Amino acid sequence: MKPFADKKITVLGLGGVGGYVGALLADAYPHVTFIARGERGRSIRERGLVIHSDYRGEHTARPERVVETAEGLEPQDYIFICVKNYSLEEACRSLSGCMSKDTVIVPVMNGADPGERVREYLPEGTVIDSLIYIVAFANADFSVTQQDKFANLYVGIQDAGAADWKKCCDTADLFNGAGVYCTASRDIQAEIWKKYILNCAYNVETALYDNSIGQLREDPKKAAIYEALVDEAWQVALAKGVHVTQADRDAIIYRFYYKLQYDATSSLQRDVGAGRPTELETFSGYIVREARRLGVAAPVSGEMYAKLKEKCRA
């Protein structure tokens, strides 16, 4: 039997990240359930989950089940939560009936603290922290587009003991077996913060100016703001005791200038532009509050946060 073929796997949140990850899991394993409500759920039941991927190509995934809610699901072996941060508490409460002490829960989400919050909401089971580098978004027809030639995931539990570390490694193997490139990290907080620092600049500045990454690079003033946002978030991470180095900071800046696609946009930018609920508090409010709490100067982050709050109210 193929490894993990007997495992019950549920994916909640079928947007860009959840759709991409869920589709590959459903392609690889027989007992995958998608939780998707309304028109999205009907679309997936009728025609599958359609993926347009630069990395993995065009394909359609058909999970074993597509359900409206977790109510009635038997205890699951793995649950992947891929919702927006403002929906996390509600999502966790909805999953309480399909949990057991052996369930592994992996929030694959934006931000620095979703794992910590899930542990608060779901005390049963084992929560594994994660992050993913990916450019992916859901389309109006409920298909998912993944751009560029990367989709890299990290999982881990900070200071994990032997039993928890095995669960982290098993989770990485589960992902890799589905073609989702995944690494188990002993220092997952450093990995999370390297991505979070990037997003404190990437999401915030693209959203405020409604510019692509290339447009920000071309404007010296906006490029300098991007660097300032990175530096302020990096200083907050250092103040929190996270192991992020000068080399990590420099790599984030290098990626901005030389690695990110010219036309790259952000999830916050798309949500602000469409007038939808946003993760502004995740990408901007959190870092401003943590800077204030820790006594770290973050004037550019504070200014951008204030302007984005006004833009979201407009």
Side-chain angles (χ1 to χ4, degrees):
M1 180 183 291
K2 180 179 178 179
F4 305 106
D6 61 334
K7 300 301 182 183
K8 299 180 181 67
I9 302 166
T10 287
V11 182
L12 172 59
L14 278 300
V17 169
Y20 177 83
V21 169
L24 269 63
L25 289 170
D27 284 345
Y29 303 115
H31 304 305
V32 174
T33 298
F34 289 171
I35 300 176
R37 295 182 292 190
E39 290 296 324
R40 186 185 305 276
R42 282 191 286 276
S43 174
I44 297 172
R45 278 190 290 272
E46 291 172 4
R47 62 190 187 99
L49 178 55
V50 178
I51 305 294
H52 313 291
S53 173
D54 289 348
Y55 194 29
R56 297 297 183 187
E58 299 279 324
H59 67 284
T60 300
R62 297 186 181 277
E64 182 178 44
R65 292 183 295 190
V66 181
V67 298
E68 288 274 330
T69 71
E71 186 176 350
L73 288 182
E74 66 274 28
Q76 299 292 292
D77 296 297
Y78 290 91
I79 297 175
F80 299 99
I81 304 174
C82 308
V83 300
K84 298 285 190 178
N85 273 270
Y86 50 76
S87 299
L88 181 56
E89 181 173 4
E90 177 188 1
C92 289
R93 305 299 185 202
S94 76
L95 293 167
S96 59
C98 60
M99 303 284 302
S100 77
K101 64 180 178 59
D102 298 316
T103 301
V104 171
I105 310 104
V106 186
V108 188
M109 298 171 56
N110 291 315
D113 65 342
E116 178 182 336
R117 293 169 60 205
V118 174
R119 291 182 184 95
E120 175 187 346
Y121 302 142
L122 291 173
E124 195 170 28
T126 300
V127 178
I128 294 179
D129 295 296
S130 81
L131 67 136
I132 188 169
Y133 288 97
I134 191 172
V135 179
F137 51 87
N139 301 302
D141 64 356
F142 307 113
S143 67
V144 168
T145 296
Q146 179 270 320
Q147 296 177 328
D148 217 327
K149 297 293 186 178
F150 66 88
N152 303 328
L153 212 158
Y154 292 80
V155 295
I157 298 173
Q158 197 72 16
D159 302 319
D164 281 345
W165 179 242
K166 183 179 186 307
K167 291 179 181 179
C168 296
C169 293
D170 286 347
T171 301
D173 288 344
L174 174 81
F175 276 124
N176 283 311
V180 181
Y181 182 76
C182 184
T183 301
S185 172
R186 287 283 191 182
D187 193 356
I188 192 64
Q189 286 302 312
E191 298 298 340
I192 286 171
W193 271 85
K194 280 186 273 188
K195 183 192 175 186
Y196 184 61
I197 291 166
L198 180 152
N199 274 324
C200 286
Y202 183 161
N203 273 269
V204 168
E205 196 171 14
T206 55
L208 181 58
Y209 295 118
D210 194 21
N211 283 172
S212 70
I213 286 293
Q215 289 171 314
L216 296 178
R217 281 196 296 250
E218 289 176 340
D219 185 322
K221 290 183 179 179
K222 291 177 181 177
I225 290 171
Y226 193 101
E227 291 197 34
L229 290 168
V230 168
D231 282 333
E232 290 177 0
W234 177 49
Q235 291 298 327
V236 170
L238 293 176
K240 289 175 71 67
V242 180
H243 305 136
V244 285
T245 66
Q246 177 76 46
D248 295 326
R249 176 265 180 208
D250 293 346
I252 294 166
I253 297 297
Y254 182 87
R255 187 173 185 182
F256 168 65
Y257 284 111
Y258 302 109
K259 292 289 188 180
L260 294 172
Q261 284 189 336
Y262 182 96
D263 62 352
T265 59
S266 72
S267 60
L268 182 61
Q269 178 183 4
R270 292 187 291 273
D271 287 342
V272 170
R276 294 188 293 258
T278 75
E279 291 185 296
L280 175 60
E281 295 304 320
T282 297
F283 292 122
S284 193
Y286 177 84
I287 202 72
V288 169
R289 288 188 291 273
E290 283 295 277
R292 187 181 304 121
R293 182 179 71 85
L294 294 164
V296 175
V300 180
S301 299
E303 181 182 358
M304 300 290 275
Y305 177 48
K307 288 180 177 179
L308 269 170
K309 283 200 293 185
E310 286 298 319
K311 185 171 183 176
C312 289
R313 281 197 288 264

